[in-house]
Amino acid sequence: MNKKTSQKKIQRDFEKLLRELKQKDAFIHYQREHETGPIHLGYLKTAIDTDKLEKYIMPRLQEYMYQNLNELKDHIPFTKTELTDDADQIPDKLVKSFVFIYMANVSPSYLLIPLPLDEKRQVSVPEVEFSVVGPKEAFVEDIDTNLNLVRKRLAIPELNVKKLRVGTITKTDVAVVSIAGIADEDNVKTAVQRIKDVDIDQVVDSSFIQQTIADNKNSPFPQLLDTERPDRIASILVEGKVAIFVNGSPHVLLGPTTLIEFFSAFEDYFLNWLTASSFRLIRLIAVFFSILITPLYVAVLTHHFEIVPQTMLTTLVNSRMQVPFPPIIEALVLEFAIELLREAGARLPTKIGQTIGIVGGIVIGTAAVEAGITSNVLLILVALAALGSFTTPVYKMSNTIRLIRFPLIIVASVYGLIGLAISIAYIMVHLLRLTSLGRPFFAPIFPFRFADFKDALIRLPFSMQNKRPFQVRPSKVKRPVANENDKLRDSR
Amino acid sequence: MYLKYIVFFVFVTASLLLNAFMPSKIIDQIQMITVIGFDATEEERVQGTVASPKYQQEGQVEDFIYTDTADTVYEDWVKLNAKATERLLNGKIKVVFYNQKLAAEGISDFIGFLTRDPSIGGNVSLAVTEGSTLDVINSATTTKGRGIFFADLFEHNIRHGNLPQINLKIFESALDSGTQDPFLPMLSIEKERPALTAIAFFKGDQYVDKLPIEHADVFKMLYEKNVSDGEYQYKSEEYIAAVENIETTKDVVFETNGGSGTVTINVNIRGAVREFTGQLPTTQKEKIERDIKQDIEKKANRLVSRFQELEIDPLGIEDDIKSGNRTYNQKHFKSAYPDMPIRVNAEVKITGYGIMR
Amino acid sequence: MISLDDKVSGLMVLFLISASQLGVGVLGFQSIINKYAGHDAWISVMIAGIAVSGVIWLMYQMLKNDEKGDIVAIHEFTYGKWLGNFLTTLFAIYLLLMAIVVLRTYIEIIQVWIFPHLKVWAFLLLLIPLFYYTISDQFRTVVGVCFLGVVYPAILNLALFFSVQYADIDNILPILDHTITELLQSSSLAVLDFMGFSALLVFYPFIREAGKSQKYAHYGNLYTTLVYTAVCLISYLYYNQSELDSVIWASLGLWKIIEMPFLERFEYFGIATLFFMILPNVVLYMWAATRTVTRTFGFDHKKVALVLLGILFITSAIFTGREGVNLLNDSASRIGLVFLFIYIPVLFVINFICRKVRKNVS
């Protein structure tokens, strides 16, 4: 009697559940007859891989002999299947790509089978950090694929992967990766602790983590390097740094990093050290040029005509003759126009973006000069400055470089070169105070570490890269790099 | 928490706004003086002339030329500004002319005007003009602007010609030193074009004498410690020899024997013959060298005794003696200078004869 | 106590000492020190450098006794609490005065050279937050500024060589034409340009293995002496002595002659670059003053910094014109001379006796 009433209650509960679920339009419900009575099977059409369902689940429901769900469970070729009595869990599980099977007359249990839809982008060529030579793989959105891409390059047991969940709603997988015995334990602990302390409802991309665990959140400078190249991650892990993978993001974070590291392209390591060093220096000069040239133009033209040589004055004055604005307005207008072009190009689809670039660059530029709104010289300088900022391999840093130009221009227009010096001092002090995962950001310039210069402003040959950077306080400082043949030759 | 950011932005904004209206010097809203001319006029007044580039399209430069007369330089500037369309600024002064009359009256006040102003550089060419400075400035025809025109004129003459190294800094040094008298190049108008015609010698800040520029080669050898690219011409009835690419070194030896001392100026000259009207110079090397040596010594001795007569010391002999002699006494030297035996000793070495025998 | 992270390596003492010594003095000392020794005054600079090395040695002898020792601890140990604290306060005021002198002199140069219409107090509004930003945090930031403040303006030394083409060796001949007394008298004037290193008495506990850093302090002093001597020598080759009498900032005058294809009138660029030499001076003195007050009275570091910067702001805005700046300069040099060459040796002797006596008692 008692059993019967409870049976009825269970039946009622199930029917209630079905009614609720049927209100969702993606819900599919099958009923199969079995020797013990009806078997119910339900899922959300958009959430599961229907191919797998057809291929592995359906045939088994018909072909095999089983009396209850436990027996059935043994026949299903999937791990992570669950048995539960709790009907309230079901809607939640369905959203998370589960299929439920319910044998109405046998038991009140539900068998839950995960059939997630494996929608993955193929591993493709890096687009942001493209290199002509070297590996051509880039990370994708799936964290396991990404970890696998790195494991492929570092197939060693010391590779330490610590998984965490972040985001009160999204519950995103985050992995902190380092090499045991090389990376400093403190760095790993700092990274893990900071990620644990993150209190945020959603983590859609690694930049969410990058911003929430930054040492100084009010700084325009990114304090963690991000890269889409698995080879770079592998190489930097060997240097003793810590990588942070975030599910759903094709960009992996690296720390502790330094300012200089943002200006080194990974391609530098694929080229001969002389070439690589020259290119890196060119990039650094481009950055300085990019930051300083417009403010310098404004400062000199507004306050310091004395320092311009007479012959250059002719060119400058000639080009400015038609311009009705003071240099500051001229510069701001032009810088604004360039930013506008960049923003428009970034927002539009690639093909239209290119057109915008050409239209903006050539047509508007020429027209602006002809109309006498800006001067030729400034147009050249601003365009070169923009070009210079794009040589920075890390996109976020190149944004910073373009941004910090604006306050410099304004201060330079009021205080001339002195103002420029003061603004640079502000940036300098800011960089001195900045840290990345608690390690000084401005190293190896300050704290001055002469040895670390081997891979900073220039990149010396591998035979001289025999120590890991002191910046990351590696547990193991020495690294073998020299060629045995070199040693033999040297000893002769 | 955010108070410090607010305070920071208020401070910086206030600082920028409050100083935003400092008079600026935007390059196309000023007139840069490149050339100045000072003339003494009849009524003890100063006539100031300034040239300031007027930039044309296609990179051509013409000049505005303003001129006015006043009692002081300052007053002059007020009057000139009243004529100019934009503010006249001193920052790019390249050349300053003084007319002969003004130079004879003394120009130290006018030099003070140049050295006191921080915006005026040290590398300003100074020169004396034979006639009115306005005429000289006007007579230049150029599309680069008169500042560059005159500066280039002096520059190449200093580098390769007979004009010794001279600019505001060197002039002022000599003027202040008390052990040396300054000199300046002198310009005049030849066939409606400005031309470097002479070197003007000063006693203190007053012009006293001049030496035609074609005879200044010896002066340059005696004045400069090293000449790196000079030229010299030897003329006699027998032959004419032009020596180029001259490199010289000079040292001054002072010997005291008893009461007064004797000065010997040793000049070492190396150069190549480029023009020769006689026969086969290679065969008579020693003769040429001896002739040139005697010629230079003769000219130099004449020049030095002329300086002694005028009681001026543009060669800086006193300076050399002061620095080489611990017993030097200024008063004693000054009184002894006019009669001091000063001998010039030249060593000539011809290093080449061009590509002909 | 001071944590290991706040401490800096011994090598940094070199930069701290140099940065504190190289300041506005380098711009115009040539025409001050030649008062007695004339064209031989560049030798006096070297003598002054040696004398300063002696004072650094004295300071280290006092400080070495206690790794955590600084001027506050020494004063308290030597004179007891009340008198000690009083003298420490005087020392803090002296540091503050030096910061004011440096800042005000630099602004004076800006006013004369570039912006005659500059509103000084408004200009200071831009600088004060920078000073606060530097000194309110760890000492490391101040050291960083000092380090870059020595390394970066070092390129200005190269600019000196442009002026060599106008050098006249006659201007400094004959060498040693003055008596030893004259040379020493000039040295006493030259010493004033080295004064800033008294901040060593405050930052000593922030040095890792501070006792072993003495050699770096001497190297720092050596570098400063070399720079001063080179600047002095080149100025004396460039100017003759009577010319020097009429210029105020001889070093800036050296730059006036420099012309490069893309840059004429190097002094405008130079004055701007000098800011990176002035900044370490001011922040180091301000930091040292703040730290001294904090240590003596136990106030909050940031609040003390704010108050002292307020004083800096007001004083720098009040003293105007050449006379005001001269007054500041003169008083600071007199106090500095007394402090370094009379007070420090006296303190050393008293401190030495105190230590012996107490050792015997215990």
Side-chain angles (χ1 to χ4, degrees), chain B residues 15 18-19 23 91-92 94 117-123 167 169 173 176-177 225 320 322-323 326, chain C residues 112 117 119 121-123 126 129 166 168 170 173-176 238 240 242-243 256-257 259 264-265 268:
Chain B
S15 171
L18 284 163
N19 273 323
K92 294 257 47 123
K94 286 302 262 179
D117 186 343
S119 75
I120 298 175
N123 199 3
N167 57 25
K169 146 76 193 148
S173 259
D176 284 354
S177 70
K225 286 211 165 57
D320 283 315
K322 182 188 171 193
S323 59
R326 287 174 203 274
Chain C
V112 168
H117 304 281
K119 289 190 188 73
W121 66 273
F123 182 61
L126 187 65
Y166 289 95
D168 185 355
D170 288 348
L173 291 175
I175 292 171
L176 280 176
Y238 180 84
N240 56 47
S242 16
E243 212 177 343
K256 263 190 155 193
I257 206 83
E259 281 184 6
E264 279 180 3
R265 312 299 304 288
Y268 286 88

Short mmCIF file of all heavy atoms in Angstrom, two decimals, chain B residues 15 18-19 23 91-92 94 117-123 167 169 173 176-177 225 320 322-323 326, chain C residues 112 117 119 121-123 126 129 166 168 170 173-176 238 240 242-243 256-257 259 264-265 268:
data_model
loop_
_atom_site.label_atom_id
_atom_site.label_comp_id
_atom_site.label_asym_id
_atom_site.label_seq_id
_atom_site.Cartn_x
_atom_site.Cartn_y
_atom_site.Cartn_z
N SER B 15 47.37 73.29 -12.79
CA SER B 15 48.70 73.71 -13.23
C SER B 15 48.71 74.02 -14.71
O SER B 15 49.25 75.03 -15.16
CB SER B 15 49.70 72.61 -12.91
OG SER B 15 50.92 72.88 -13.48
N LEU B 18 46.47 77.20 -15.50
CA LEU B 18 47.00 78.49 -15.04
C LEU B 18 48.19 78.95 -15.87
O LEU B 18 48.42 80.14 -16.01
CB LEU B 18 47.39 78.37 -13.57
CG LEU B 18 46.18 78.37 -12.63
CD1 LEU B 18 46.56 77.85 -11.28
CD2 LEU B 18 45.61 79.77 -12.53
N ASN B 19 48.94 77.99 -16.38
CA ASN B 19 50.09 78.39 -17.17
C ASN B 19 49.82 78.28 -18.67
O ASN B 19 50.71 78.48 -19.48
CB ASN B 19 51.32 77.57 -16.80
CG ASN B 19 52.07 78.18 -15.63
OD1 ASN B 19 52.16 79.40 -15.53
ND2 ASN B 19 52.58 77.35 -14.76
N PRO B 23 52.84 83.50 -22.73
CA PRO B 23 53.04 83.83 -24.13
C PRO B 23 53.83 82.71 -24.83
O PRO B 23 54.92 82.35 -24.38
CB PRO B 23 53.87 85.11 -24.08
CG PRO B 23 53.92 85.53 -22.68
CD PRO B 23 53.41 84.46 -21.82
N GLY B 91 65.71 84.74 -31.06
CA GLY B 91 66.24 83.38 -30.92
C GLY B 91 67.05 82.82 -32.07
O GLY B 91 67.87 81.94 -31.87
N LYS B 92 66.83 83.30 -33.28
CA LYS B 92 67.54 82.68 -34.40
C LYS B 92 68.53 83.62 -35.08
O LYS B 92 68.84 83.46 -36.25
CB LYS B 92 66.54 82.14 -35.43
CG LYS B 92 65.70 81.03 -34.94
CD LYS B 92 66.04 79.64 -35.40
CE LYS B 92 67.43 79.16 -35.36
NZ LYS B 92 67.67 77.96 -34.60
N LYS B 94 71.60 84.93 -36.61
CA LYS B 94 72.76 84.23 -37.15
C LYS B 94 73.92 85.20 -37.39
O LYS B 94 75.07 84.83 -37.28
CB LYS B 94 72.40 83.55 -38.49
CG LYS B 94 71.54 82.32 -38.38
CD LYS B 94 72.18 81.29 -37.53
CE LYS B 94 72.91 80.19 -38.21
NZ LYS B 94 73.49 79.27 -37.22
N ASP B 117 71.21 87.99 -23.51
CA ASP B 117 69.93 87.35 -23.85
C ASP B 117 70.13 85.83 -23.95
O ASP B 117 70.87 85.36 -24.80
CB ASP B 117 69.46 87.92 -25.20
CG ASP B 117 68.08 87.42 -25.57
OD1 ASP B 117 67.64 86.41 -24.98
OD2 ASP B 117 67.45 88.03 -26.44
N PRO B 118 69.47 85.06 -23.07
CA PRO B 118 69.70 83.62 -23.12
C PRO B 118 69.25 82.98 -24.43
O PRO B 118 69.70 81.90 -24.77
CB PRO B 118 68.89 83.08 -21.95
CG PRO B 118 67.89 84.13 -21.64
CD PRO B 118 68.51 85.42 -22.03
N SER B 119 68.36 83.63 -25.16
CA SER B 119 67.84 82.98 -26.37
C SER B 119 68.80 83.10 -27.55
O SER B 119 68.58 82.50 -28.58
CB SER B 119 66.48 83.56 -26.73
OG SER B 119 66.62 84.83 -27.29
N ILE B 120 69.86 83.88 -27.39
CA ILE B 120 70.81 84.02 -28.50
C ILE B 120 71.97 83.04 -28.32
O ILE B 120 72.55 82.95 -27.24
CB ILE B 120 71.34 85.47 -28.59
CG1 ILE B 120 70.17 86.42 -28.86
CG2 ILE B 120 72.37 85.61 -29.69
CD1 ILE B 120 70.51 87.86 -28.86
N GLY B 121 72.27 82.30 -29.34
CA GLY B 121 73.29 81.26 -29.24
C GLY B 121 74.70 81.81 -29.25
O GLY B 121 74.92 83.03 -29.32
N GLY B 122 75.67 80.92 -29.17
CA GLY B 122 77.06 81.36 -29.15
C GLY B 122 77.66 81.44 -30.53
O GLY B 122 78.64 82.13 -30.77
N ASN B 123 77.04 80.71 -31.47
CA ASN B 123 77.61 80.64 -32.80
C ASN B 123 76.97 81.68 -33.71
O ASN B 123 76.34 81.36 -34.70
CB ASN B 123 77.43 79.23 -33.36
CG ASN B 123 78.37 78.96 -34.48
OD1 ASN B 123 79.20 79.80 -34.82
ND2 ASN B 123 78.24 77.80 -35.09
N ASN B 167 83.55 83.96 -34.18
CA ASN B 167 82.11 84.10 -33.97
C ASN B 167 81.91 84.86 -32.66
O ASN B 167 82.88 85.33 -32.06
CB ASN B 167 81.40 82.75 -33.96
CG ASN B 167 81.95 81.81 -32.92
OD1 ASN B 167 82.52 82.24 -31.92
ND2 ASN B 167 81.79 80.52 -33.15
N LYS B 169 81.21 83.95 -29.69
CA LYS B 169 81.89 83.37 -28.53
C LYS B 169 83.38 83.74 -28.52
O LYS B 169 83.92 84.16 -27.50
CB LYS B 169 81.68 81.86 -28.55
CG LYS B 169 82.80 81.02 -28.03
CD LYS B 169 82.86 81.04 -26.52
CE LYS B 169 84.19 80.45 -26.08
NZ LYS B 169 84.70 81.00 -24.87
N SER B 173 85.32 86.23 -25.95
CA SER B 173 86.46 85.70 -25.21
C SER B 173 87.65 86.64 -25.30
O SER B 173 88.26 86.99 -24.30
CB SER B 173 86.88 84.35 -25.78
OG SER B 173 86.39 83.32 -25.00
N ASP B 176 86.96 89.98 -23.49
CA ASP B 176 86.99 89.91 -22.03
C ASP B 176 88.37 89.58 -21.48
O ASP B 176 88.68 89.89 -20.34
CB ASP B 176 86.00 88.84 -21.53
CG ASP B 176 84.57 89.32 -21.62
OD1 ASP B 176 84.39 90.51 -21.95
OD2 ASP B 176 83.66 88.53 -21.35
N SER B 177 89.19 88.92 -22.31
CA SER B 177 90.41 88.32 -21.76
C SER B 177 91.38 89.36 -21.23
O SER B 177 92.06 89.12 -20.24
CB SER B 177 91.09 87.48 -22.83
OG SER B 177 91.62 88.33 -23.81
N LYS B 225 96.19 78.08 -34.00
CA LYS B 225 97.16 77.07 -33.57
C LYS B 225 97.35 76.04 -34.67
O LYS B 225 98.44 75.56 -34.90
CB LYS B 225 96.63 76.37 -32.31
CG LYS B 225 96.73 77.24 -31.10
CD LYS B 225 96.96 76.40 -29.86
CE LYS B 225 97.42 77.24 -28.71
NZ LYS B 225 96.51 78.34 -28.38
N ASP B 320 99.60 83.80 -25.02
CA ASP B 320 100.55 82.69 -25.06
C ASP B 320 101.64 82.83 -24.01
O ASP B 320 102.03 81.87 -23.35
CB ASP B 320 101.19 82.61 -26.45
CG ASP B 320 100.25 82.00 -27.46
OD1 ASP B 320 99.62 80.98 -27.12
OD2 ASP B 320 100.13 82.54 -28.58
N LYS B 322 101.47 84.62 -21.27
CA LYS B 322 100.89 84.50 -19.93
C LYS B 322 100.76 83.03 -19.53
O LYS B 322 101.05 82.64 -18.41
CB LYS B 322 99.50 85.15 -19.93
CG LYS B 322 98.81 85.14 -18.59
CD LYS B 322 97.37 85.62 -18.74
CE LYS B 322 96.62 85.40 -17.46
NZ LYS B 322 95.18 85.55 -17.66
N SER B 323 100.36 82.21 -20.47
CA SER B 323 100.11 80.81 -20.12
C SER B 323 101.40 80.01 -20.08
O SER B 323 101.45 78.95 -19.47
CB SER B 323 99.13 80.19 -21.10
OG SER B 323 99.66 80.27 -22.40
N ARG B 326 105.46 81.77 -15.79
CA ARG B 326 104.94 82.03 -14.44
C ARG B 326 105.29 83.42 -13.93
O ARG B 326 104.72 83.90 -12.97
CB ARG B 326 105.45 80.98 -13.47
CG ARG B 326 104.77 79.65 -13.67
CD ARG B 326 105.35 78.55 -12.82
NE ARG B 326 105.06 77.25 -13.40
CZ ARG B 326 103.94 76.58 -13.17
NH1 ARG B 326 103.03 77.07 -12.38
NH2 ARG B 326 103.73 75.42 -13.73
N VAL C 112 64.53 82.00 -16.28
CA VAL C 112 65.45 82.85 -17.02
C VAL C 112 65.53 82.40 -18.47
O VAL C 112 65.50 83.21 -19.38
CB VAL C 112 66.85 82.81 -16.37
CG1 VAL C 112 67.87 83.45 -17.29
CG2 VAL C 112 66.82 83.52 -15.04
N HIS C 117 57.52 84.12 -17.96
CA HIS C 117 56.22 84.44 -17.38
C HIS C 117 55.63 83.29 -16.58
O HIS C 117 54.44 83.28 -16.30
CB HIS C 117 55.24 84.86 -18.48
CG HIS C 117 55.74 85.99 -19.31
ND1 HIS C 117 55.69 87.30 -18.89
CD2 HIS C 117 56.35 86.01 -20.51
CE1 HIS C 117 56.22 88.07 -19.81
NE2 HIS C 117 56.64 87.32 -20.81
N LYS C 119 54.19 80.98 -13.92
CA LYS C 119 53.64 81.10 -12.58
C LYS C 119 54.22 79.96 -11.76
O LYS C 119 53.84 78.80 -11.93
CB LYS C 119 52.12 81.00 -12.60
CG LYS C 119 51.44 82.20 -13.21
CD LYS C 119 49.93 82.10 -12.98
CE LYS C 119 49.18 83.17 -13.72
NZ LYS C 119 49.12 82.93 -15.18
N TRP C 121 54.05 78.89 -8.67
CA TRP C 121 53.23 78.02 -7.80
C TRP C 121 52.37 77.08 -8.62
O TRP C 121 52.16 75.93 -8.25
CB TRP C 121 52.40 78.84 -6.82
CG TRP C 121 51.33 79.69 -7.46
CD1 TRP C 121 51.48 80.94 -7.94
CD2 TRP C 121 49.98 79.32 -7.68
NE1 TRP C 121 50.30 81.40 -8.46
CE2 TRP C 121 49.36 80.42 -8.31
CE3 TRP C 121 49.22 78.19 -7.41
CZ2 TRP C 121 48.03 80.41 -8.67
CZ3 TRP C 121 47.89 78.17 -7.77
CH2 TRP C 121 47.30 79.28 -8.40
N ALA C 122 51.93 77.57 -9.79
CA ALA C 122 51.12 76.68 -10.64
C ALA C 122 51.98 75.57 -11.23
O ALA C 122 51.56 74.43 -11.35
CB ALA C 122 50.46 77.49 -11.75
N PHE C 123 53.22 75.93 -11.56
CA PHE C 123 54.15 74.93 -12.08
C PHE C 123 54.43 73.87 -11.02
O PHE C 123 54.49 72.67 -11.32
CB PHE C 123 55.44 75.64 -12.50
CG PHE C 123 56.47 74.73 -13.10
CD1 PHE C 123 56.21 74.02 -14.25
CD2 PHE C 123 57.71 74.58 -12.50
CE1 PHE C 123 57.15 73.18 -14.80
CE2 PHE C 123 58.67 73.75 -13.04
CZ PHE C 123 58.39 73.05 -14.20
N LEU C 126 52.26 70.82 -10.65
CA LEU C 126 52.52 69.66 -11.50
C LEU C 126 53.60 68.77 -10.90
O LEU C 126 53.60 67.56 -11.10
CB LEU C 126 52.95 70.15 -12.89
CG LEU C 126 53.11 69.11 -14.00
CD1 LEU C 126 51.79 68.47 -14.32
CD2 LEU C 126 53.71 69.73 -15.23
N PRO C 129 52.75 66.42 -6.97
CA PRO C 129 52.23 65.05 -7.01
C PRO C 129 53.27 64.03 -7.42
O PRO C 129 53.30 62.91 -6.91
CB PRO C 129 51.10 65.11 -8.04
CG PRO C 129 50.72 66.52 -8.11
CD PRO C 129 51.95 67.31 -7.83
N TYR C 166 86.28 74.38 -29.21
CA TYR C 166 86.57 75.77 -28.90
C TYR C 166 87.52 75.90 -27.71
O TYR C 166 87.72 76.96 -27.18
CB TYR C 166 85.28 76.54 -28.59
CG TYR C 166 84.45 76.75 -29.82
CD1 TYR C 166 83.42 75.89 -30.15
CD2 TYR C 166 84.71 77.83 -30.67
CE1 TYR C 166 82.67 76.08 -31.29
CE2 TYR C 166 83.97 78.02 -31.81
CZ TYR C 166 82.94 77.14 -32.12
OH TYR C 166 82.22 77.35 -33.25
N ASP C 168 90.76 76.17 -25.50
CA ASP C 168 92.07 76.78 -25.68
C ASP C 168 92.92 76.42 -24.48
O ASP C 168 92.64 76.83 -23.35
CB ASP C 168 91.91 78.31 -25.78
CG ASP C 168 93.23 78.98 -26.11
OD1 ASP C 168 94.25 78.26 -26.16
OD2 ASP C 168 93.23 80.21 -26.29
N ASP C 170 95.62 77.35 -23.56
CA ASP C 170 96.26 78.48 -22.89
C ASP C 170 95.47 78.96 -21.66
O ASP C 170 96.03 79.55 -20.76
CB ASP C 170 96.39 79.67 -23.86
CG ASP C 170 97.45 79.40 -24.91
OD1 ASP C 170 98.20 78.43 -24.72
OD2 ASP C 170 97.51 80.14 -25.89
N LEU C 173 96.80 77.18 -18.57
CA LEU C 173 98.25 77.16 -18.34
C LEU C 173 98.67 78.46 -17.67
O LEU C 173 98.07 79.49 -17.91
CB LEU C 173 98.99 76.98 -19.67
CG LEU C 173 98.84 75.62 -20.33
CD1 LEU C 173 99.51 75.64 -21.69
CD2 LEU C 173 99.39 74.52 -19.46
N PRO C 174 99.68 78.54 -16.90
CA PRO C 174 100.46 77.41 -16.40
C PRO C 174 99.72 76.69 -15.26
O PRO C 174 99.09 77.34 -14.42
CB PRO C 174 101.73 78.07 -15.88
CG PRO C 174 101.35 79.48 -15.63
CD PRO C 174 100.19 79.82 -16.47
N ILE C 175 99.84 75.39 -15.25
CA ILE C 175 99.18 74.61 -14.20
C ILE C 175 99.87 74.84 -12.87
O ILE C 175 101.09 75.05 -12.81
CB ILE C 175 99.20 73.11 -14.59
CG1 ILE C 175 98.30 72.90 -15.79
CG2 ILE C 175 98.75 72.23 -13.45
CD1 ILE C 175 98.38 71.56 -16.42
N LEU C 176 99.08 74.81 -11.81
CA LEU C 176 99.58 75.02 -10.44
C LEU C 176 100.28 76.36 -10.29
O LEU C 176 101.39 76.45 -9.77
CB LEU C 176 100.51 73.87 -10.02
CG LEU C 176 99.80 72.60 -9.58
CD1 LEU C 176 100.80 71.52 -9.28
CD2 LEU C 176 98.90 72.86 -8.40
N TYR C 238 87.38 76.32 -22.17
CA TYR C 238 86.47 77.00 -23.09
C TYR C 238 86.42 78.50 -22.80
O TYR C 238 86.48 79.32 -23.70
CB TYR C 238 85.10 76.37 -22.95
CG TYR C 238 84.01 76.93 -23.83
CD1 TYR C 238 83.85 76.49 -25.14
CD2 TYR C 238 83.12 77.87 -23.33
CE1 TYR C 238 82.84 76.99 -25.92
CE2 TYR C 238 82.09 78.36 -24.12
CZ TYR C 238 81.96 77.92 -25.41
OH TYR C 238 80.96 78.41 -26.19
N ASN C 240 87.89 81.97 -20.77
CA ASN C 240 89.02 82.44 -19.99
C ASN C 240 88.47 83.01 -18.69
O ASN C 240 87.27 83.25 -18.55
CB ASN C 240 89.86 83.44 -20.78
CG ASN C 240 89.07 84.61 -21.28
OD1 ASN C 240 88.32 85.20 -20.53
ND2 ASN C 240 89.22 84.92 -22.55
N SER C 242 88.44 85.82 -17.08
CA SER C 242 87.67 87.06 -16.98
C SER C 242 86.28 86.88 -17.58
O SER C 242 85.32 87.52 -17.17
CB SER C 242 88.41 88.21 -17.66
OG SER C 242 89.42 87.74 -18.50
N GLU C 243 86.20 85.99 -18.55
CA GLU C 243 84.90 85.71 -19.16
C GLU C 243 84.00 85.01 -18.14
O GLU C 243 82.81 85.28 -18.03
CB GLU C 243 85.15 84.78 -20.34
CG GLU C 243 84.21 84.94 -21.50
CD GLU C 243 84.62 84.01 -22.63
OE1 GLU C 243 85.76 83.52 -22.63
OE2 GLU C 243 83.77 83.76 -23.49
N LYS C 256 75.64 76.26 -25.44
CA LYS C 256 75.10 77.25 -26.38
C LYS C 256 75.75 77.13 -27.75
O LYS C 256 75.18 77.50 -28.75
CB LYS C 256 75.39 78.65 -25.85
CG LYS C 256 74.25 79.26 -25.10
CD LYS C 256 74.55 80.70 -24.85
CE LYS C 256 73.26 81.45 -24.68
NZ LYS C 256 73.37 82.86 -24.72
N ILE C 257 76.97 76.63 -27.77
CA ILE C 257 77.73 76.64 -29.01
C ILE C 257 77.42 75.40 -29.85
O ILE C 257 77.74 75.35 -31.03
CB ILE C 257 79.25 76.73 -28.66
CG1 ILE C 257 80.01 77.36 -29.81
CG2 ILE C 257 79.83 75.38 -28.31
CD1 ILE C 257 79.98 78.84 -29.80
N GLU C 259 75.90 72.84 -32.21
CA GLU C 259 74.92 72.83 -33.30
C GLU C 259 74.99 71.48 -33.99
O GLU C 259 76.04 71.07 -34.44
CB GLU C 259 75.24 73.94 -34.30
CG GLU C 259 74.78 75.29 -33.82
CD GLU C 259 74.99 76.38 -34.83
OE1 GLU C 259 75.39 76.09 -35.96
OE2 GLU C 259 74.74 77.54 -34.47
N GLU C 264 69.82 72.63 -32.86
CA GLU C 264 70.73 73.70 -32.49
C GLU C 264 70.42 74.04 -31.05
O GLU C 264 69.42 73.62 -30.51
CB GLU C 264 70.49 74.92 -33.39
CG GLU C 264 71.17 74.81 -34.73
CD GLU C 264 70.92 76.04 -35.59
OE1 GLU C 264 70.27 76.98 -35.13
OE2 GLU C 264 71.36 76.03 -36.75
N ARG C 265 71.27 74.84 -30.45
CA ARG C 265 70.98 75.35 -29.12
C ARG C 265 70.64 74.23 -28.16
O ARG C 265 69.54 74.08 -27.68
CB ARG C 265 69.82 76.34 -29.19
CG ARG C 265 69.97 77.36 -30.26
CD ARG C 265 71.22 78.19 -30.03
NE ARG C 265 71.14 78.77 -28.73
CZ ARG C 265 70.31 79.76 -28.44
NH1 ARG C 265 69.60 80.28 -29.36
NH2 ARG C 265 70.28 80.25 -27.23
N TYR C 268 68.56 74.15 -24.48
CA TYR C 268 67.11 73.99 -24.24
C TYR C 268 66.79 72.53 -23.99
O TYR C 268 66.04 72.17 -23.09
CB TYR C 268 66.31 74.51 -25.43
CG TYR C 268 66.29 76.01 -25.49
CD1 TYR C 268 67.28 76.70 -26.16
CD2 TYR C 268 65.30 76.73 -24.85
CE1 TYR C 268 67.29 78.07 -26.20
CE2 TYR C 268 65.30 78.10 -24.88
CZ TYR C 268 66.30 78.77 -25.57
OH TYR C 268 66.29 80.12 -25.58
#
